[in-house]
């Protein structure tokens, strides 16, 4: 019987990882969440990580929720926002439970346009919120909220036009090239952003967009080095969703944090979350901030590591050390070490500095628990207080507890 | 007396390398060579490397000269071209003797627009020919020559407009960023090309260029990964010219090859060339070509290595190994080894994979001869026969003879 189970797991994992490797994520649209995302509601705020509620939310997520309600026009003031939340008028739901991902607080509202990424190989669709540097960190001030308005009214519209003109934009191609250009595709997507900007702008020229519309979009895209992270996250979510829901598979299909808890989902374990406390980040602080100011780990952006990018491809991006700390040797070692807890090397995403080895891809909960090696995540840091922006960046490991709980859940479900 | 000389050399080299490190190359214009380049003539073809003439030219340079005469309208056919050359109607002159550089054959004619790069720190100006993939390798066919016409009539005009709109484009900034994005800035300038395209296209939008003019320019720039090499070469030439002509300095200010001879110039030795035979390249061939087809080393592009980029920054660009051969470890070792024959590390151009060490910069002829370590150059390969294009790429070392001759020349001039 034990042998039977083991074979079933191996077969399931082969099916799952083959889907990950064959995935071909293409950006096909940008649409308001209410029009695109299954289960989205007008009074819903989707958020990063496993489920939470207002009482249990960390400071920066509370700030981001307030900023998002102001953006959405559901509240006029910060105090209004708190009042309608406390009246129970706002429903909270994790992005991941809607095939979606969002950076840091990840707060996504009905009218907020999201990237629509289709895995052309398997036909499933994922959604990703814009990456910006204000509301997602908890800032709810006018400038922060105006950034979301620019996204909704101008930038997303233009990108949608460019996508239609291009007939879709293949994200796998850009990610593969970006790994040769010093990106790890989580906190360093700079080369990807530059390539994406060129494609969008050129398609908008071809689409005949008027100069006064095109210029602010072009200026934004060529100077926003972090922009491509939203696309990288969307691509990774589409890829991992394709491999979700395979009975007996021990593949991790999501790692996400809400700033209080870290949670994972596993292909063979349905939509259940397995959680532990979100870790503190070991890294570098911007001037004026210290560890005292930092919120625990937050965001759905660890979907990049889940798909074999981000911390797993640090070896491709030694320049990120300026942002997150460490040494180039450590970067190489992390990327090699992740091979011990993963199912395959992805030959679609290779790392030149490791002799063009494929990225370590597909975390197996069994290998994590057996080896004691935790996935490495590189991440931005939010301030623990609402109303602030990014205060630093660094490396973090998830709690082993989440993986052990998942393994117990697996044993229970499959009666091992 | 010997001590006196040694101090003079050290002082001169300090002055020279300080100029290299302080150099701030900015792209300020694109102009026809006849309007910009000192000493340019209507019947002149400037070429790569040390001086040569028609009788002694290698096959690909002959092909490039013919293509350039067709482009210039000085000949109607290939046979016409040969006839007017043999009649002595065409004057040949090395780019370097006009503060200019050109890739591979480097053939530059009067009406051909060149990049104008000013070292804003020292006020000197350098000129660089466009990098393309046809005429410079010896192809003189219609498609090849039409590529130069597109450059002259459309692309250079647009880039000139963008430069004016931007008020100059700082190349040092782009190069510094590109080193963090997997470029070594000689045979891999891809990230630089992407960033340059971002800037040019956005400035052209701002300048109000009409869609039908802008679209072909944008499409070209976003797909021509090698484009930035012309800018990188121009920047390096401006930088090294700033340090040329300092009495007693043993700094190499130019390394260049005409496909037959490799030559260097030295800061304290005026405009004299010190030469040896151009080497054969050790690398990878495109399908259908072998070592039998290869021409010896050619081009002014080794100005990048002269300024501490290219082969000297292989450690920044492990992905180039796909093109030139070798391993990531060898790339790291080459970049470290070049520290043994250079005067300084350039903190303006740093290499993340080497713990952000500055690039090894400023070749000292004394150190090359003393250590026996030759500069490492990565380079494209031309076919030995005229009429062909690029056949591969690889690594090459210059002949020690050139450095020994320079050291003898130095001893003679300064009576050591």
């Amino acid at each position: 019987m034990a042998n039977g189970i083991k074979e079933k797991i191996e077969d399931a994992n082969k099916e799952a990882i083959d889907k990950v490797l064959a995935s071909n994520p293409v950006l096909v649209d940008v649409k308001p969440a209410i029009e695109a995302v299954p289960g989205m509601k007008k009074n819903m705020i989707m958020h990063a990580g496993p489920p939470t509620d207002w009482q249990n939310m960390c400071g920066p997520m509370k700030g981001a929720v307030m900023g998002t309600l102001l953006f959405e026009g559901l509240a006029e003031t910060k105090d209004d926002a708190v009042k309608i939340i406390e009246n129970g008028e706002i429903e909270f739901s994790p992005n991941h439970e809607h095939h979606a991902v969002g950076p840091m607080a990840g707060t996504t509202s009905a009218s907020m346009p999201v990237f629509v990424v289709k895995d052309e190989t398997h036909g499933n669709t994922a959604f990703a919120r814009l990456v910006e540097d204000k509301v997602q960190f908890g800032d709810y001030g006018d400038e922060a909220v105006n950034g979301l308005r620019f996204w909704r009214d101008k930038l997303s519209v233009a990108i949608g036009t460019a996508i239609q003109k291009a007939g879709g934009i293949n994200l796998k191609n850009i990610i593969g090239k970006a790994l040769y250009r010093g990106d790890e595709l989580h906190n360093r997507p700079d080369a990807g952003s530059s390539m994406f900007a060129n494609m969008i702008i050129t398609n908008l020229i071809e689409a005949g967009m008027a100069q006064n519309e095109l210029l602010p979009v072009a200026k934004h895209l060529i100077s926003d080095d972090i922009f491509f992270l939203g696309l990288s996250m969307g691509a990774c979510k589409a890829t991992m969703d394709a491999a979700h829901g395979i009975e007996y598979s021990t593949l991790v299909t999501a790692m996400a944090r809400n700033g209080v808890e870290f949670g994972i989902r596993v292909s063979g374990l349905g939509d259940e979350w397995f959680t532990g406390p979100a870790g503190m980040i070991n890294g570098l602080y911007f001037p004026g901030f210290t560890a005292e100011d930092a919120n625990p780990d937050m965001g759905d952006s660890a979907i990049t590591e889940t798909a074999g990018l981000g911390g797993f491809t640090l070896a491709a991006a030694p320049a990120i050390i300026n942002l997150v700390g460490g040494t180039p040797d450590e970067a190489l070692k992390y990327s090699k070490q992740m091979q011990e807890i993963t199912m395959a090397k992805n030959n679609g995403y290779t790392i030149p500095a490791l002799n063009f080895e494929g990225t370590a891809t597909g975390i197996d909960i069994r290998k994590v628990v057996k080896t004691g090696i935790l996935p490495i995540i590189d991440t931005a840091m939010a301030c623990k207080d609402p109303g602030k922006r990014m205060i630093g960046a660094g490396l973090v490991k998830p709690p082993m507890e989440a993986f052990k709980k998942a393994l117990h859940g697996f044993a229970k479900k499959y009666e091992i």
Side-chain angles (χ1 to χ4, degrees), chain A residues 43 60 77 87 101-102 129 145 160 181 185 190 206 209 216 218-219 229 234 238 263 289 307 323 331 333 376 382:
Chain A
N43 70 330
T77 67
N87 281 348
V101 280
R129 181 192 185 276
V145 175
R181 297 185 184 190
L185 278 316
D190 303 32
E206 189 153 18
M209 179 173 266
K219 283 191 169 179
L229 173 55
F289 295 99
L323 181 70
K333 279 176 196 156
I376 185 79

Side-chain angles (χ1 to χ4, degrees), chain A residues 137 281 284-286 289 323 379-382 389-394:
Chain A
F137 286 93
I281 295 143
L284 304 175
Y285 295 88
F286 294 165
F289 295 99
L323 181 70
T379 192
M381 279 189 259
R389 298 182 184 174
M390 182 171 169
I391 67 165

